[in-house]
Amino acid sequence: MKQLLLLFAFTSITLTFQAQNTVEVSLQPNYTDEVFYKISTNQVNNYPAANWELAFLRTSNFAFATRINDGIGIEAYQASDHVEDWSSINIENLENWPPLYNSDTDWNIGAIDQGTASYGWGEYNASNHHVEGAVIFVLKYPNDTYKKFMIEDFFGAYTFRYANWNTETSSWEEDQTVVLSNQDNPNHYFNYFNLTTGEEVTAAPENTDWDLVFKKYTTDLGEGTMYTVTGVLHNPTLTLAENVEETPTSNGNDLNYTEEINTIGHDWKSFDGAGYTVASDKYYYVKYENGTIYRIHFTSFEGGSTGDLSFTTEQLNNLSTVKFDNNNSFSIYPNPSTDRQVSLLYENQQRQEKSNVSIFNSNGVKVYQTQLQNNGFYHQSLNLSRLSAGIYIVKFTSGDFSTTQKLILN
């Protein structure tokens, strides 16, 4: 009976790790929401897309970037590189001003960072180590309203000024000045601000609570043709790879991963005049910082009528470290293994306790066992070339504690 229970437990673990997860999210009709998704927890968070207008990078006192909300149709233009022109800016000159765009490959390059000053919008002052404003921008909204905007100073906070264009009087209304501290929202990449309401807003989950964001953004379709698309950008802590496969055969270890945040982007779907078709042969591989890899495959996209889309996720390996008490931890890599050479990383701070690893096949039969060194953090390589391809369970034991992980040998 004990052997049967053990085998049942192994089988349950295998099924759990192999399960493919189907995910359905909705940007709502006309894409009025931005949707943030966390793969490992299957967590979905919707935020109204129009809540924010500017996003200010707040990750350190020495890093800055300012993005416009191009997904709701805001356009940015450089109106002047002389701050003394602030009072004389005239929107009738809009067609003479260069348009500016957010990068869709790097979160740290926003439209406001694309101006002609040394730092896009400002110049470094060596005497006080501040970056001081040197460029005036005009923001055009989809309802043909305008705001002029400039960042006056950055030093652990953004001090910026803006004013609304009054169409009835053809003049600028009273200036508004805001100081937005980097200390706000410490677990977020950006602080978000709505110039229309004059309020700071929350427009994204904490950094660790999302991997992908489904949204509208501007991209270059080629030869400088800028166009607003609906697609997917990813968290900067991840790397991604795209692979064209008739059937999903890659284990994710043999691909070229990139940090470009539009690796998934928008071209996993196409419009044929009547509706959207999802590319059946495009698979995306998402790699976490700890080496864990997920495969994503899109299955439907309904467009702006509903904003609904669906995709599947599947974990291809299990590289997370199991820490089951204050003194022991354990992980395996690479997993899956193509050459059947694997490495164990483990920590055992209890000198008196022996540690060992056992490997069981899918029938619950022990096929490998070895004793590990004690006391400290260790790396130990295992040659499993005598084992055939398949799914195995690796059991790590140290004293009274034990844990299991799935291992795939290809």
Side-chain angles (χ1 to χ4, degrees), residues 31 69-75 101 215-221 225-231 266 269 276:
Y31 312 123
N69 192 344
D70 53 2
I72 63 170
I74 296 177
E75 302 171 6
Y101 302 96
K215 68 190 304 291
K216 293 180 69 177
Y217 62 93
T218 301
T219 192
D220 188 344
L221 296 181
T225 301
M226 306 303 294
Y227 193 77
T228 301
V229 296
T230 303
H266 65 94
K269 54 182 170 34
Y276 284 90

Side-chain angles (χ1 to χ4, degrees), residues 91-157:
I91 64 169
E92 291 183 359
N93 297 320
L94 183 74
E95 63 181 19
N96 299 318
W97 298 333
L100 306 170
Y101 302 96
N102 296 330
S103 168
D104 64 347
T105 62
D106 189 338
W107 287 114
N108 293 351
I109 304 175
I112 303 302
D113 309 300
Q114 307 275 27
T116 56
S118 300
Y119 290 93
W121 56 266
E123 301 290 346
Y124 177 68
N125 186 329
S127 64
N128 60 14
H129 306 296
H130 290 220
V131 178
E132 298 174 346
V135 174
I136 302 168
F137 303 90
V138 166
L139 305 179
K140 180 183 178 182
Y141 287 68
N143 61 355
D144 288 328
T145 58
Y146 302 86
K147 302 181 193 301
K148 61 179 177 179
F149 168 86
M150 69 173 293
I151 301 174
E152 296 184 304
D153 183 85
F154 176 82
F155 187 76

Side-chain angles (χ1 to χ4, degrees), residues 307-342:
D308 295 345
L309 62 95
S310 63
F311 56 96
T312 62
T313 66
E314 183 179 7
Q315 185 176 348
L316 300 184
N317 58 8
N318 181 28
L319 297 180
S320 57
T321 299
V322 176
K323 191 172 183 66
F324 46 88
D325 69 352
N326 291 329
N327 302 300
N328 301 280
S329 60
F330 174 70
S331 63
I332 310 170
Y333 76 95
N335 189 5
S337 171
T338 56
D339 60 3
R340 301 178 199 175
Q341 309 293 316
V342 301

Side-chain angles (χ1 to χ4, degrees), residues 110-320:
I112 303 302
D113 309 300
Q114 307 275 27
T116 56
S118 300
Y119 290 93
W121 56 266
E123 301 290 346
Y124 177 68
N125 186 329
S127 64
N128 60 14
H129 306 296
H130 290 220
V131 178
E132 298 174 346
V135 174
I136 302 168
F137 303 90
V138 166
L139 305 179
K140 180 183 178 182
Y141 287 68
N143 61 355
D144 288 328
T145 58
Y146 302 86
K147 302 181 193 301
K148 61 179 177 179
F149 168 86
M150 69 173 293
I151 301 174
E152 296 184 304
D153 183 85
F154 176 82
F155 187 76
Y158 297 81
T159 300
F160 59 88
R161 181 178 13 153
Y162 67 98
N164 298 313
W165 178 257
N166 188 315
T167 56
E168 294 182 358
T169 62
S170 297
S171 62
W172 295 105
E173 297 178 353
E174 183 180 355
D175 290 355
Q176 306 293 322
T177 300
V178 177
V179 178
L180 195 62
S181 174
N182 279 3
Q183 302 305 311
D184 295 348
N185 305 307
N187 298 318
H188 293 75
Y189 292 114
F190 291 91
N191 283 328
Y192 297 88
F193 198 86
N194 188 312
L195 299 177
T196 300
T197 63
E199 296 177 339
E200 187 176 354
V201 297
T202 300
E206 293 187 358
N207 303 339
T208 56
D209 290 339
W210 68 277
D211 297 325
L212 309 175
V213 55
F214 299 80
K215 68 190 304 291
K216 293 180 69 177
Y217 62 93
T218 301
T219 192
D220 188 344
L221 296 181
E223 299 182 354
T225 301
M226 306 303 294
Y227 193 77
T228 301
V229 296
T230 303
V232 186
L233 305 178
H234 70 74
N235 190 300
T237 62
L238 306 175
T239 55
L240 272 75
E242 176 185 316
N243 203 38
V244 176
E245 311 169 64
E246 292 298 329
T247 57
T249 56
S250 175
N251 61 16
N253 291 319
D254 55 345
L255 302 177
N256 294 320
Y257 287 82
T258 176
E259 296 179 351
E260 294 187 351
I261 63 174
N262 65 349
T263 304
I264 295 179
H266 65 94
D267 59 356
W268 44 271
K269 54 182 170 34
S270 59
F271 187 70
D272 60 10
Y276 284 90
T277 301
V278 173
S280 61
D281 60 349
K282 285 189 176 181
Y283 291 83
Y284 300 92
Y285 293 79
V286 180
K287 182 182 287 188
Y288 279 62
E289 289 181 303
N290 68 358
T292 300
I293 299 174
Y294 286 88
R295 179 165 52 217
I296 292 179
H297 185 235
F298 290 92
T299 53
S300 71
F301 182 77
E302 296 185 4
S305 60
T306 65
D308 295 345
L309 62 95
S310 63
F311 56 96
T312 62
T313 66
E314 183 179 7
Q315 185 176 348
L316 300 184
N317 58 8
N318 181 28
L319 297 180
S320 57

Side-chain angles (χ1 to χ4, degrees), residues 59-102:
T59 52
S60 82
N61 290 334
F62 307 101
F64 48 85
T66 305
R67 301 177 71 87
I68 62 171
N69 192 344
D70 53 2
I72 63 170
I74 296 177
E75 302 171 6
Y77 297 86
Q78 176 169 318
S80 176
D81 58 1
H82 299 287
V83 295
E84 60 269 19
D85 291 341
W86 177 261
S87 60
S88 60
I89 296 296
N90 191 330
I91 64 169
E92 291 183 359
N93 297 320
L94 183 74
E95 63 181 19
N96 299 318
W97 298 333
L100 306 170
Y101 302 96
N102 296 330

